[in-house]
Amino acid sequence: MTPMRDLKMPQHHSEVVNLNGWEPDDEFPIGPMGAKPKRIFICPTPAPHKFLIGGHRYLFKEPEHPHTMQVWSEVIAYELSRYVRVPVPPAFLATAPRNGSPGVLVEFFYGHRDRPPVRFIHGIERLQAFGFPVDHRRGSLKDNLTVCRRQRIADWRFWWAETLAFDTLIGNTDRHSENWGFMASTQPEGTLAFSMAPAFDNGTSLGYLVREPDLARYQQPATLKRFLERGSHHCGWISSDAASAQHVELCRRYGTHVNDTKPTMKRVVDISNTQIEELLSWCRGFDYSLPFSASRALFVGAQLRARRDALLDALLGEDE
């Protein structure tokens, strides 16, 4: 059975976040990593909506053409994560201050005032510290796993199982070494304890580059099949692989080599057609300057169902 959604308040159709009046973060006004500029704002107190946290930091991203649909990819990835219980930073539809351009507002997953202080460390920092080669075009999953073991992460096997399966479900192609990382907390004796950060930066997914006039063609079975087969994770299995691994194949290989992780991957893609339709209907209900069209909903729904079924078939086939 698919787990219940979490208890964080959802964003209702009348609650697109207007950033007029939000103060920029004086210390870090621009996001620290990534190819595209991102702005950081502090949520007013009291918060204007129940799903926001007053006084907390938020990242605001305004992808430009042809990447504008990444706004919806981020929001859908978060809403989808609430069904399948994969930790993903909350992401909400928003509009920029002054010009009202559409963007996605992402809650910082650290720096909460009511929680113990933690430091975030990008995966690339630890890969480099341990002497692994870093290729921004293609990563090595085995190198990532080795780093997690060396950091003594208790649940690294299941975190990667969840994240690989989730990336497969949404077709995320951008889980490079700056898009995963660790949370470090200081223990009473002064040592650092490490855990995995949530699976953040999920916008490069769900066929966001497919233009509106082309959506009908991509819903045709043969075209959709070719599109899905071309999709690959950012990583290969090892650094010497000639290319990044196809999503389902990487999950299959991971489940074969890393014990007891197949049930976790199966759980992540245990989402019903009814739940997918509920999610896409929610998207369609927003009166937003970047609309989520009926054709886009059909295309995204077809992707989610096909990737879910392909991964389940691959994992079940391994058990036979």
Side-chain angles (χ1 to χ4, degrees):
M1 179 182 295
T2 301
M4 295 289 289
R5 301 173 82 185
D6 68 29
L7 298 179
K8 179 179 276 290
M9 297 293 295
Q11 182 176 25
H12 293 291
H13 296 139
S14 62
E15 296 178 322
V16 173
V17 182
N18 184 334
L19 294 181
N20 281 326
W22 283 48
E23 293 293 331
D25 187 330
D26 291 333
E27 187 175 0
F28 300 105
I30 304 296
M33 282 221 179
K36 303 179 185 67
K38 311 171 183 74
R39 290 186 279 173
I40 299 176
F41 291 92
I42 306 296
C43 180
T45 302
H49 303 291
K50 291 182 179 180
F51 52 83
L52 299 173
I53 303 170
H56 191 64
R57 298 165 76 200
Y58 285 81
L59 194 67
F60 182 61
K61 299 193 282 188
E62 299 172 84
E64 298 177 349
H65 182 77
H67 301 277
T68 52
M69 293 308 294
Q70 285 187 330
V71 170
W72 279 107
S73 295
E74 288 274 19
V75 169
I76 292 172
Y78 167 57
E79 289 296 324
L80 189 63
S81 78
R82 287 157 29 91
Y83 285 102
V84 301
R85 291 291 186 179
V86 174
V88 168
F92 308 106
L93 296 177
T95 57
R98 291 185 296 280
N99 65 7
S101 64
V104 60
L105 188 70
V106 183
E107 181 184 310
F108 264 64
F109 50 84
Y110 56 97
H112 296 83
R113 296 179 179 180
D114 59 345
R115 303 178 194 174
V118 295
R119 176 190 168 201
F120 171 64
I121 303 172
H122 283 93
I124 190 173
E125 297 180 51
R126 303 314 297 156
L127 285 164
Q128 292 172 332
F130 286 120
F132 288 100
V134 176
D135 184 346
H136 290 280
R137 296 167 300 172
R138 183 179 65 256
S140 162
L141 181 57
K142 288 197 75 175
D143 288 352
N144 295 349
L145 303 181
T146 300
V147 167
C148 291
R149 285 196 296 268
R150 291 186 183 180
Q151 293 294 162
R152 300 181 180 180
I153 305 296
D155 59 348
W156 65 266
R157 293 184 304 152
F158 304 109
W159 187 92
W160 278 105
E162 281 188 338
T163 303
L164 291 172
F166 188 69
D167 284 341
T168 296
L169 184 61
I170 64 175
N172 183 14
T173 63
D174 204 34
R175 188 69 62 201
H176 54 72
S177 54
E178 293 177 5
N179 279 349
W180 64 272
F182 306 101
M183 309 301 294
S185 58
T186 303
Q187 302 304 292
E189 64 274 17
T191 61
L192 286 178
F194 292 87
S195 60
M196 300 302 295
F200 63 92
D201 211 341
N202 300 296
T204 308
S205 62
L206 295 173
Y208 73 98
L209 283 174
V210 176
R211 302 178 310 139
E212 203 73 17
D214 298 328
L215 288 171
R217 178 167 60 88
Y218 274 80
Q219 292 167 42
Q220 297 173 7
T223 305
L224 179 66
K225 182 174 183 291
R226 287 193 298 270
F227 170 75
L228 296 174
E229 288 174 347
R230 288 197 305 268
S232 63
H233 201 275
H234 190 275
C235 288
W237 180 248
I238 57 177
S239 58
S240 60
D241 284 349
S244 300
Q246 200 272 345
H247 283 112
V248 171
E249 173 58 22
L250 189 61
C251 286
R252 185 200 64 76
R253 196 164 185 178
Y254 185 82
T256 300
H257 286 83
V258 184
N259 292 335
D260 302 323
T261 55
K262 290 180 188 177
T264 298
M265 289 190 281
K266 291 176 185 176
R267 187 263 298 165
V268 170
V269 292
D270 182 19
I271 184 169
S272 69
N273 291 344
T274 299
Q275 290 169 320
I276 291 172
E277 291 306 313
E278 177 186 271
L279 170 56
L280 298 176
S281 176
W282 173 82
C283 295
R284 294 275 297 127
F286 283 92
D287 181 13
Y288 188 51
S289 56
L290 182 64
F292 192 79
S293 68
S295 294
R296 182 74 58 179
L298 290 172
F299 175 50
V300 170
Q303 291 179 64
L304 293 173
R305 292 189 296 272
R307 293 196 187 97
R308 173 200 63 192
D309 295 346
L311 182 52
L312 285 174
D313 287 347
L315 295 174
L316 291 172
E318 287 289 307
D319 292 337
E320 293 176 356

